[in-house]
Amino acid sequence: FRSSTIGNDHNKKPQVDKTSKKRVQFSNLEIREYTVGLGDNPACTNGPALTLGWRFEQSSSISIVQYEESRPPRRNKNEIRIPCRIREDRLLEECGCSMKDIVSATMENKRIQKQRRKSMNNSLIFLPMGNILVLPVKNVTEKVGRKFSSISSSNINNCIRRRTVS
């Protein structure tokens, strides 16, 4: 990005040289191997979660071109997931976790998942008119899905007003 002022008048806006283009280039790829530990991610639905540690080993440096030419094909979602048993084995053998730690972390994740489901089902819906409709989100989405195509927007507003008043 280049800019310049016209003449000696500094009160004028700088002119932008539109011939220069912004470019970004990468040359080398640094590959690091991080330690793995027992995680606390409640998105992990089955078994213990893994997390990356802070320590790492610099394993190699390679040019982007070489990496792209030699890397294996991209993996899909199912190939990226690590099965529960393998995660448990890795935590026990490589990380020194006890089975008690693994079970405890798994149970805590389940507790958080249950709490999130409960919270989502008891959420408040704020309507455009400023009223609050207190219905579980699950019920609202089911009702809207069934009724929306057969009810006009004015009927929806009347229906919502009746529910919030009573």
Side-chain angles (χ1 to χ4, degrees), residues 73-99:
R74 296 198 186 273
R75 299 178 293 171
N76 65 36
K77 250 188 233 183
N78 293 328
E79 293 171 324
I80 291 175
R81 285 192 183 116
I82 302 172
C84 174
R85 188 70 198 155
I86 293 174
R87 281 182 273 138
E88 285 177 359
D89 290 344
R90 195 165 177 189
L91 287 167
L92 289 168
E93 295 166 14
E94 295 176 23
C95 303
C97 293
S98 69
M99 196 58 178

Side-chain angles (χ1 to χ4, degrees), residues 14-29:
Q15 285 184 332
V16 176
D17 182 3
K18 294 182 180 181
T19 60
S20 64
K21 295 182 180 181
K22 296 179 184 179
R23 290 183 1 168
V24 176
Q25 280 186 308
F26 298 95
S27 56
N28 290 326
L29 180 69

Side-chain angles (χ1 to χ4, degrees), residues 98-166:
S98 69
M99 196 58 178
K100 181 180 177 182
D101 294 336
I102 292 171
V103 169
S104 176
T106 302
M107 289 175 62
E108 178 64 11
N109 282 350
K110 293 290 182 196
R111 185 190 67 75
I112 293 169
Q113 290 168 4
K114 184 178 177 181
Q115 183 181 17
R116 286 182 179 182
R117 276 192 303 275
K118 184 178 177 183
S119 175
M120 185 180 75
N121 286 334
N122 293 328
S123 295
L124 299 177
I125 303 297
F126 292 92
L127 302 171
M129 300 72 91
N131 296 329
I132 299 174
L133 178 62
V134 182
L135 280 177
V137 172
K138 181 179 174 185
N139 293 348
V140 171
T141 56
E142 288 172 0
K143 289 179 182 181
V144 168
R146 287 193 308 261
K147 294 182 180 180
F148 189 78
S149 60
S150 63
I151 300 176
S152 70
S153 61
S154 62
N155 288 340
I156 290 174
N157 290 336
N158 290 336
C159 178
I160 291 170
R161 281 192 204 108
R162 274 185 261 131
R163 287 189 182 188
T164 55
V165 171
S166 52

